[in-house]
Amino acid sequence: MLKHGILGLLNYGSMTGYDIVLIFKDSLSYFWHAQTSQIYRELHTIKKNGWATDETIVQDGKPDKKEFTITEKGREELRRWLSEDNIGLKIRSPLMMKTFFRGEFSLEENIDYFEKLKHESYGFAHKMTVTPPDTEKYVRLINDPMKALYWKMTIEYGLMYSKMYGEWLDNCLKQMEELKNENSDN
Amino acid sequence: MLKHGILGLLNYGSMTGYDIVLIFKDSLSYFWHAQTSQIYRELHTIKKNGWATDETIVQDGKPDKKEFTITEKGREELRRWLSEDNIGLKIRSPLMMKTFFRGEFSLEENIDYFEKLKHESYGFAHKMTVTPPDTEKYVRLINDPMKALYWKMTIEYGLMYSKMYGEWLDNCLKQMEELKNENSDN
DNA sequence: TTAATCATGTAACACGTTACATGATTGC
DNA sequence: GCAATCATGTAACGTGTTACATGATTAA
């Protein structure tokens, strides 16, 4: 999956591993987290598969860099991956896994836990609503308004998700508070 | 993460690898997908870590089975994991990864693709709303209404998520249809 | 002078996927 | 007679995580 994400970026234009690291960190982090070491490893595989070629560029005052360029074979692989019948949702939600077993702790402890989640979720929601990923930058760079449509759709997903998540947290807290009050009433 | 999910189940009572496989498939699949081979492997590690002991039970007419029982050390590990400051959301959404690069294809192809996603999402939404995971079964089995609260919260999350997902898909389709009409108007 | 930025990675380990393997019993 | 259920796994590979390593330049 990450391999194909990198291939998708290379398809916009040649770039170095470092460029890709920064794009993931600055602009794609709201839907994909990738480690630096992983990106460099995948670039090796991409080259080995003949999906990209690399060229070392000597700079002065700065370390050498290695620029990767997608090949026709790489472009074909990108399109193959996009066309794949992918769905057979293999869901894995660490958040739900932990929620499911919360019964191990007391209501009070769990209220604290959910308050903490709520606090942390504000960070994400804030980033998404107040400073949403700047697609304009890429629109100017790539200059293809059709591509921007899909970028915007991923941002909308991020917004809708963070809203839903916040509502779920409030709902959970409400239910726990109610139970707590019932318990203290008898 | 899976290790701890298994530990959480063992904490409800002793069971075999096969029991765990079925619980994941029948009751937890809406938030976690696990392979059979993976579950058996994790059970090995759990035993090696001293988090559970196992006992082979000979049956007649049926193959032998191996029942795992959580140890005090395992229970401590479960509680340690639940108490962990876990959040630093490392999001990874294959769905968004594919959406982001959809610009490679035409509007028409992408409308088809999203219609397909919508069709498939009905399956999940239907399963969640019409035959939601039967927690009553576990409530009777475990007989701890406090635990059921958290099980219900995970189901509510599944419902809210599938609703949001459906709305997002409709939204995307609407935007694509509008663009398609604009294009055919000039 | 200290931290951040630029730029590259390796090694070891943990976790997830795919394909394969075995063999008895029970229900249609 | 055939598929499903019960019950266990191994092997190989792919992907993600953590910790470590290097070293120059530039801005506060």
Side-chain angles (χ1 to χ4, degrees), chain B residues 58-64:
Chain B
V58 181
Q59 304 178 106
D60 59 289
K62 281 180 184 175
D64 294 2

Side-chain angles (χ1 to χ4, degrees), chain A residues 11-119:
Chain A
N11 191 41
Y12 293 152
S14 299
M15 51 183 100
T16 67
Y18 192 64
D19 292 331
I20 294 166
V21 168
L22 294 186
I23 292 176
F24 270 93
K25 216 178 71 179
D26 297 337
S27 309
L28 310 182
S29 63
Y30 66 99
F31 71 78
W32 200 279
H33 171 87
Q35 240 89 27
T36 300
S37 58
Q38 215 188 333
I39 287 171
Y40 284 107
R41 185 176 53 188
E42 296 305 336
L43 279 169
H44 272 290
T45 314
I46 284 171
K47 192 189 159 188
K48 213 185 68 197
N49 293 354
W51 298 346
T53 53
D54 63 347
E55 193 195 351
T56 301
I57 295 169
V58 180
Q59 304 178 106
D60 60 287
K62 281 181 182 176
D64 293 2
K65 63 180 183 180
K66 215 189 271 181
E67 206 172 59
F68 289 84
T69 303
I70 195 166
T71 61
E72 200 41 55
K73 206 175 157 194
R75 228 168 251 123
E76 271 165 36
E77 174 58 25
L78 176 63
R79 293 173 68 84
R80 191 206 56 73
W81 167 70
L82 283 166
S83 308
E84 230 176 32
D85 252 11
N86 47 303
I87 359 278
L89 322 159
K90 296 184 178 173
I91 308 168
R92 236 171 289 119
S93 167
L95 179 68
M96 287 306 109
M97 188 71 109
K98 282 208 172 181
T99 305
F100 196 83
F101 295 111
R102 278 279 130 200
E104 274 307 292
F105 294 122
S106 71
L107 260 181
E108 285 73 20
E109 284 171 301
N110 287 333
I111 288 173
D112 283 353
Y113 175 78
F114 273 85
E115 290 286 6
K116 213 163 155 188
L117 286 184
K118 204 176 144 182
H119 184 77

